[in-house]
């Protein structure tokens, strides 16, 4: 059975873009067609300045929203990255295979490092090396496919390169994964800056619809979305990015086609109104289920505990094999002495 791995980073509240571009696909398709693992990648949230309490809070919220969106722990594995030591164990081995040049060519590193420097902050080493940790996330589980947005495809390519290089140097150890990119609404754009992705770490709150936004807040944000010059509703991603973004969101929420929907509307106002209501209705069941889960924190904790146990059992054989292959001495086993005491086998 195909194995799929994907994750969300708790650096901000999850957005409509996360849901339409990834989570809904995981729920409707990926968890049923594959041996699927979905992870809150909290270690990745430490690569920039952060509030520890906020990271913990957002990690729990992200896990609850994954479940609220419809991931079924009886069907797939839902867990938190830091709860499974194999991610960090394998990451160091892959750092010993990756090169400095590869890391510095990563587009997201260049962009994020530039932003940190503009703020007057220092750039953490982990920001440079986190694509290797991402590769470890994938390779530890022998994932065949990694559903990602097109902005993350470069990181999956790195995981492929590292897997091939490790296998060539030290013997076949890793499955070589491939990225799978969803189609419509794979990249929902910021409502105020429709040429930029709707990112959860963005500072532009008015342009981002969060999964837990109240209906009136959603309506206000969509109605204030930036459109384009002219009055005609036309689907043209290059020339009319604002209108195209609204049409794509509406199409994703209603199962329609953005080009066909463009012929239905004669004004931007009508398009915005219908888009706002469609988003409210899509988020309604997710928010209702999230409220139920918040009232039962023990359930979420149990899911994450069981998920980590399952994930650990999947990852450990591969990571142990990588340790042997690269030349590390296996741990010395312990055995019972003649009177039941533990005796180190090396003595």
């Amino acid at each position: 059975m195909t194995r799929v791995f994907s994750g969300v980073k708790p650096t901000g509240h999850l957005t409509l873009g996360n849901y339409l571009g990834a989570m809904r696909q995981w729920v409707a398709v990926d968890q049923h067609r594959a041996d699927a693992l979905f992870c809150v990648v909290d270690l990745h949230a430490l690569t920039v300045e952060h509030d520890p309490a906020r990271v913990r809070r957002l990690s729990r919220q992200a896990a609850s929203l994954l479940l609220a969106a419809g991931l079924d722990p009886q069907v797939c594995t839902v867990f938190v990255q830091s709860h499974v030591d194999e991610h960090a164990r394998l990451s160091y081995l892959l750092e010993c295979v990756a090169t400095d040049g590869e890391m510095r060519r990563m587009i997201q590193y260049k962009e994020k490092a530039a932003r940190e420097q503009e703020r007057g902050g220092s750039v953490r080493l982990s920001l440079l090396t986190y694509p290797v940790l991402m590769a470890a996330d994938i390779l530890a589980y022998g994932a065949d496919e990694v559903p990602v947005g097109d902005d993350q495809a470069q990181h999956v390519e790195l995981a492929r390169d590292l897997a091939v290089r490790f296998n060539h140097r030290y013997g076949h150890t890793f499955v070589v994964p491939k990225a799978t990119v969803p189609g419509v609404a794979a990249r929902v754009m910021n409502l105020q800056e429709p040429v930029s992705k709707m990112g959860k770490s963005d500072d532009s709150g008015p342009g981002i619809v969060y999964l837990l936004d109240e209906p009136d807040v959603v309506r206000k944000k969509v109605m204030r979305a930036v459109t384009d010059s002219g009055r005609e509703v036309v689907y043209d991603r290059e020339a009319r990015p604002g209108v195209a973004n609204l049409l794509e969101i509406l199409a994703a929420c209603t199962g329609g086609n953005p080009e066909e929907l463009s012929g239905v509307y004669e004004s931007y106002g009508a398009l915005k109104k219908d888009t706002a209501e469609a988003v409210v209705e899509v988020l309604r069941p997710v928010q209702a289920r999230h409220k139920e889960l918040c009232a039962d924190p023990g359930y979420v904790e149990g899911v994450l505990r069981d998920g980590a146990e399952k994930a650990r059992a999947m990852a450990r054989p591969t990571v142990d094999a990588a340790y042997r292959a690269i030349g590390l001495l296996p741990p010395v086993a312990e055995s019972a002495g003649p009177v039941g005491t533990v005796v180190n086998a090396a003595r």
Side-chain angles (χ1 to χ4, degrees):
M1 191 175 188
T2 299
R3 180 165 287 176
V4 169
F5 177 94
S6 200
V8 294
K9 186 163 58 174
T11 50
H13 299 285
L14 296 183
T15 72
L16 180 67
N18 297 126
Y19 182 71
L20 295 180
M23 293 164 62
R24 193 166 64 168
Q25 169 86 8
W26 301 347
V27 169
V29 179
D30 292 331
Q31 70 171 334
H32 300 291
R33 71 174 179 85
D35 182 9
L37 300 100
F38 301 104
C39 181
V40 178
V41 286
D42 54 343
L43 294 176
H44 292 292
L46 311 185
T47 59
V48 294
E49 188 67 29
H50 63 276
D51 174 10
R54 185 171 187 265
V55 171
R56 284 190 290 270
R57 184 171 65 253
L58 290 177
S59 296
R60 176 180 288 277
Q61 184 185 91
S64 299
L65 282 169
L66 290 177
L67 298 174
L71 290 182
D72 184 349
Q74 300 301 316
V75 175
C76 65
T77 304
V78 180
F79 66 106
V80 174
Q81 179 190 34
S82 63
H83 295 177
V84 180
D85 293 345
E86 277 62 33
H87 292 256
R89 289 181 62 209
L90 182 56
S91 182
Y92 180 73
L93 294 197
L94 295 180
E95 284 187 16
C96 297
V97 176
T99 68
D100 176 76
E102 283 176 314
M103 296 300 97
R104 296 188 187 280
R105 286 194 295 271
M106 291 286 121
I107 294 171
Q108 290 210 353
Y109 168 71
K110 293 179 181 179
E111 294 175 347
K112 291 181 179 180
R115 285 200 294 269
E116 284 297 309
Q117 290 169 342
E118 286 173 5
R119 296 185 183 119
S122 58
V123 179
R124 300 185 181 195
L125 178 62
S126 56
L127 186 62
L128 178 66
T129 60
Y130 91 90
V132 177
L133 176 57
M134 186 180 293
D137 298 338
I138 298 164
L139 299 182
Y141 297 99
D144 303 287
E145 298 180 9
V146 187
V148 292
D150 54 6
D151 60 322
Q152 293 289 335
Q154 186 184 33
H155 290 150
V156 182
E157 284 302 312
L158 175 68
R160 290 173 56 84
D161 292 343
L162 295 180
V164 169
R165 191 177 305 156
F166 191 102
N167 290 346
H168 177 73
R169 290 180 181 175
Y170 306 113
H172 185 78
T173 306
F174 299 117
V175 172
V176 180
K178 67 177 181 180
T180 56
V181 181
V184 172
R187 202 171 187 196
V188 177
M189 312 306 280
N190 190 300
L191 295 175
Q192 292 297 315
E193 300 175 21
V195 295
S196 301
K197 180 183 174 184
M198 187 184 284
K200 59 182 176 294
S201 303
D202 203 325
D203 294 328
S204 180
I208 305 170
V209 175
Y210 298 105
L211 295 188
L212 296 178
D213 276 348
E214 294 290 335
D216 285 346
V217 173
V218 173
R219 293 185 183 102
K220 183 180 295 185
K221 288 180 177 180
V222 176
M223 293 305 294
R224 292 180 177 177
V226 168
T227 49
D228 311 292
S229 59
R231 297 182 178 180
E232 189 178 3
V233 179
V234 177
Y235 180 67
D236 187 331
R237 169 53 71 184
E238 296 300 322
R240 302 281 188 89
V243 172
N245 190 36
L246 291 171
L247 288 167
E248 288 188 354
I249 292 172
L250 178 60
C253 290
T254 62
N257 177 284
E259 291 189 18
E260 293 176 359
L261 286 169
S262 67
V264 173
Y265 295 95
E266 297 181 355
S267 71
Y268 294 162
L271 171 60
K272 288 181 176 181
K273 183 177 179 181
D274 283 1
T275 302
E277 293 306 321
V279 172
V280 167
E281 289 306 312
V282 160
L283 297 185
R284 193 183 303 279
V286 177
Q287 294 178 352
R289 178 58 178 151
H290 180 262
K291 186 176 181 180
E292 293 174 356
L293 291 171
C294 288
D296 187 9
Y299 173 77
V300 176
E301 291 172 2
V303 168
L304 296 180
R305 181 182 61 249
D306 294 346
E309 290 178 2
K310 288 172 60 179
R312 194 176 301 114
M314 290 185 215
R316 184 164 292 171
T318 297
V319 177
D320 285 349
Y323 268 60
R324 291 192 299 270
I326 206 170
L328 296 177
L329 191 66
V332 177
E334 293 183 341
S335 60
V339 292
T341 58
V342 175
V343 178
N344 192 302
R347 294 175 182 171

